[in-house]
Amino acid sequence: NYELTISGQNNYIGTKTELYTINPIDISGNNSPVTIEFKDTDLVYTGSPQQPRIIVKYGERTLTEGADYDIVGYEDNINAGTGKVVIRGKKNYIGEANNTFEIKRKNIEDEATVKITPEYSELEFVAFDVNLKPDVKINYNGMELKSTDFTTDTPSGSETDRVTGNDITLTINGIGTNYEGTRTVKYKIIPRKLTESNLKIYSDVGCQNEAAG
């Protein structure tokens, strides 16, 4: 509480004292008098929690973190989608306020950070498997993407192209919550080498002799 004292002058004498209170500003509710802006706006999924820096204003006045408010925390700030920051007023401000921000999906077309292996490969021919394709691995920011993060299309070209040693294009699509975009890798199918381990020779001599007898 504060005191206000009034002293009479001229035709008035004496003093009078009144108490008054300055209430803190409530920043909570849908009509919060404060605004929360984000310094970092181009957020892309990284696999780690993201805490975009904020600017909090009351009218034209920029509030100070630690003096006028504290950051309570960030919510839903790992996966692509909508995250939220929550602040709590202090001293001359009370209540809580929040604002949301967007985390974009990672585009796998970014060759600088999204690594796909193998980029080119040679696969030995497998009989009757006209859709033979490499087992691609995708790594981003220290993470290996799972089957729920990408798909591969049917290999390009006709069935004849895929068994004649021509280069084949395989298209990879980012999918799911955190990935988007497309990339391609190339490969070709080469003749299979015959070895003792994969070659079996059958003889029908015994059957012929039996028939002759």
Side-chain angles (χ1 to χ4, degrees):
N1 290 340
Y2 298 89
E3 289 186 353
L4 175 64
T5 301
I6 302 173
S7 300
Q9 294 183 356
N10 299 326
N11 295 325
Y12 301 91
I13 61 174
T15 61
K16 184 175 178 59
T17 299
E18 292 286 346
L19 299 177
Y20 67 95
T21 300
I22 299 178
N23 295 318
I25 297 170
D26 191 349
I27 65 173
S28 59
N30 294 330
N31 297 317
S32 174
V34 301
T35 58
I36 302 174
E37 302 172 1
F38 294 97
K39 293 182 180 180
D40 309 307
T41 56
D42 193 19
L43 302 176
V44 178
Y45 171 74
T46 64
S48 300
Q50 302 199 54
Q51 299 180 345
R53 297 168 298 166
I54 62 174
I55 299 173
V56 181
K57 290 186 176 182
Y58 174 68
E60 295 298 320
R61 179 188 175 191
T62 299
L63 304 189
T64 302
E65 182 182 356
D68 301 315
Y69 70 91
D70 288 325
I71 297 177
V72 176
Y74 291 82
E75 302 174 7
D76 301 321
N77 61 331
I78 297 179
N79 292 322
T82 302
K84 181 168 68 173
V85 61
V86 180
I87 66 169
R88 179 180 296 126
K90 60 190 305 184
K91 295 183 179 179
N92 292 323
Y93 302 88
I94 61 171
E96 292 186 353
N98 66 78
N99 198 7
T100 58
F101 56 91
E102 294 299 318
I103 300 176
K104 300 175 184 177
R105 292 188 293 174
K106 179 63 182 179
N107 195 317
I108 66 170
E109 295 175 11
D110 181 8
E111 297 183 8
T113 58
V114 180
K115 304 299 182 182
I116 298 179
T117 54
E119 294 184 347
Y120 186 85
S121 57
E122 294 182 346
L123 305 178
E124 286 192 339
F125 172 78
V126 176
F128 310 113
D129 189 357
V130 295
N131 289 324
L132 181 66
K133 54 188 177 182
D135 181 19
V136 296
K137 303 293 184 183
I138 306 178
N139 283 274
Y140 166 59
N141 209 25
M143 302 176 292
E144 182 173 322
L145 273 63
K146 302 176 182 178
S147 59
T148 52
D149 299 322
F150 71 96
T151 60
T152 55
D153 292 346
T154 300
S156 67
S158 65
E159 293 182 4
T160 301
D161 291 334
R162 293 197 284 272
V163 294
T164 54
N166 295 328
D167 278 352
I168 303 167
T169 299
L170 180 65
T171 300
I172 305 164
N173 309 289
I175 62 170
T177 301
N178 296 314
Y179 298 95
E180 63 181 5
T182 61
R183 283 269 292 279
T184 60
V185 296
K186 291 186 179 295
Y187 68 102
K188 70 177 180 180
I189 298 174
I190 60 176
R192 188 173 184 84
K193 297 178 181 178
L194 297 180
T195 64
E196 292 184 1
S197 61
N198 62 24
L199 178 64
K200 294 182 179 180
I201 300 176
Y202 297 91
S203 173
D204 59 358
V205 174
C207 296
Q208 291 176 350
N209 291 339
E210 183 178 354

